[in-house]
């Protein structure tokens, strides 16, 4: 068996392991399959597992007291869910649903603890992932502290992974625009209007349903509260 056939090879927290070690870790993985709309994790769930997305997308949401869903993030191939519960020793605080048909690998927390004891580098990379996520959350919180949706949108786009193109830096929205709107604390109509304003100003160009080219990075930075 090759690690390319397992979830292990896809996950940053395991990539510091050599081939033999990755195969050992893969031996603890248990596969699960979810149809679109299936619940993966519930807030307060007693199950103690780390989930690794092998295919598909998983939407992580916070449910307010009024019952309104707020999209926290969307997980893709290689992303993990439940590492905060493992590191902090607490139950999940969010719900997670399969956004599409998805296959996942799961690791029982007791098995994961044994692996961390043998390969401490796994825990170090978990903490790095948590630190990066906290830094992103702090930047978004700063953007959300005001009422300027354009500033929130600019900060969000600047945090997305990008690739250079002749037109500029291209990013891809990891979720549907309605979910991006929920994540930014606004409505789909307002998000669409702000995107159109940035396009009209020559800052952005839209490619398809989720592709966005940042044509003027300085102008977008000017609109971001980080500046």
């Amino acid at each position: 068996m090759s690690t390319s056939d397992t979830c292990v090879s896809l996950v940053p927290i395991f990539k510091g392991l050599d081939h033999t070690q990755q195969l050992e870790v893969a031996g603890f993985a248990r596969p699960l399959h979810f149809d679109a709309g299936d619940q993966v994790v519930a807030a307060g769930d007693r199950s103690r597992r780390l989930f690794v997305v092998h295919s598909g997308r998983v939407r992580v949401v916070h449910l307010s007291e009024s019952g309104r869903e707020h999209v926290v993030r969307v997980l893709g191939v290689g992303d993990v869910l439940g590492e905060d519960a493992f590191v902090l020793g607490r139950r999940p605080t969010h719900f997670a649903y399969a956004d599409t048909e998805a296959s996942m690998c799961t690791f029982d927390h007791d098995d994961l603890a044994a692996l961390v004891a043998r390969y401490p580098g796994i825990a170090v990379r978990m903490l790095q992932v948590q630190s990066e996520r906290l830094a992103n959350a702090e930047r978004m919180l700063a953007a959300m502290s005001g009422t300027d949706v354009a500033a929130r949108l600019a900060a969000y786009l600047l945090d997305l992974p990008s690739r250079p193109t002749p037109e500029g830096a291209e990013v891809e929205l990891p979720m549907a625009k309605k979910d991006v709107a929920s994540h930014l604390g606004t409505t789909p109509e307002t998000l669409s209007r702000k995107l159109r304003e940035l396009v009209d100003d020559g800052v952005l160009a839209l490619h398809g349903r989720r592709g966005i080219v940042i044509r003027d990075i300085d102008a977008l930075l000017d609109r971001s509260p980080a500046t």
Side-chain angles (χ1 to χ4, degrees):
M1 178 178 62
S2 167
T3 53
S4 63
D5 299 326
T6 73
C7 290
V8 173
S9 62
L10 303 173
V11 186
I13 63 173
F14 296 137
K15 283 192 174 179
L17 304 178
D18 63 31
H19 178 76
T20 300
Q21 293 167 341
Q22 285 189 352
L23 287 177
E24 179 183 351
V25 172
F28 289 92
R30 300 292 179 267
L32 285 177
H33 179 84
F34 298 93
D35 292 324
D38 284 353
Q39 181 175 278
V40 179
V41 171
D45 201 331
R46 292 178 178 271
S47 64
R48 293 167 49 82
R49 291 182 291 179
L50 179 79
F51 295 81
V52 179
V53 182
H54 192 255
S55 67
R57 292 194 312 272
V58 175
R59 178 166 40 95
V60 182
V61 302
H62 173 72
L63 192 64
S64 69
E65 292 183 1
S66 65
R68 182 177 179 180
E69 285 189 355
H70 173 75
V71 179
V72 177
R73 64 186 187 277
V74 173
L75 309 179
V77 175
D79 288 333
V80 295
L81 175 67
E83 78 279 16
D84 54 341
F86 176 79
V87 172
L88 300 175
R90 67 186 185 191
R91 293 182 183 178
T93 57
H94 298 117
F95 291 84
Y97 301 94
D99 213 24
T100 65
E101 185 177 356
S103 60
M104 306 183 76
C105 297
T106 66
F107 295 85
D108 182 83
H109 275 206
D110 290 338
D111 291 337
L112 192 59
L115 290 168
V116 166
R118 186 162 182 178
Y119 306 117
I122 296 174
V124 172
R125 283 181 287 278
M126 279 187 177
L127 291 173
Q128 289 172 340
V129 169
Q130 287 294 307
S131 296
E132 291 171 1
R133 188 173 296 164
L134 178 60
N136 290 339
E138 287 176 342
R139 284 195 294 271
M140 188 53 60
L141 183 61
M144 295 281 282
S145 63
T147 58
D148 190 346
V149 176
R152 303 177 209 171
L153 176 59
Y156 178 75
L157 294 176
L158 289 167
D159 266 342
L160 293 177
S162 64
R163 66 180 185 87
T165 71
E167 292 183 71
E170 184 171 6
V171 300
E172 183 175 351
L173 297 179
M175 48 188 158
K177 288 188 177 73
K178 65 179 180 63
D179 292 328
V180 174
S182 170
H183 180 66
L184 297 180
T186 188
T187 64
E189 294 78 13
T190 299
L191 175 67
S192 295
R193 186 169 65 252
K194 294 301 179 182
L195 281 171
R196 178 49 56 188
E197 289 174 2
L198 290 170
V199 170
D200 292 342
D201 289 344
V203 179
L204 303 179
L206 304 183
H207 281 191
R209 296 177 61 188
R210 297 193 181 187
I212 296 177
V213 176
I214 303 173
R215 301 177 64 185
D216 189 338
I217 187 73
D218 291 333
L220 195 61
L221 284 167
D222 286 343
R223 287 165 165 81
S224 170
T227 60

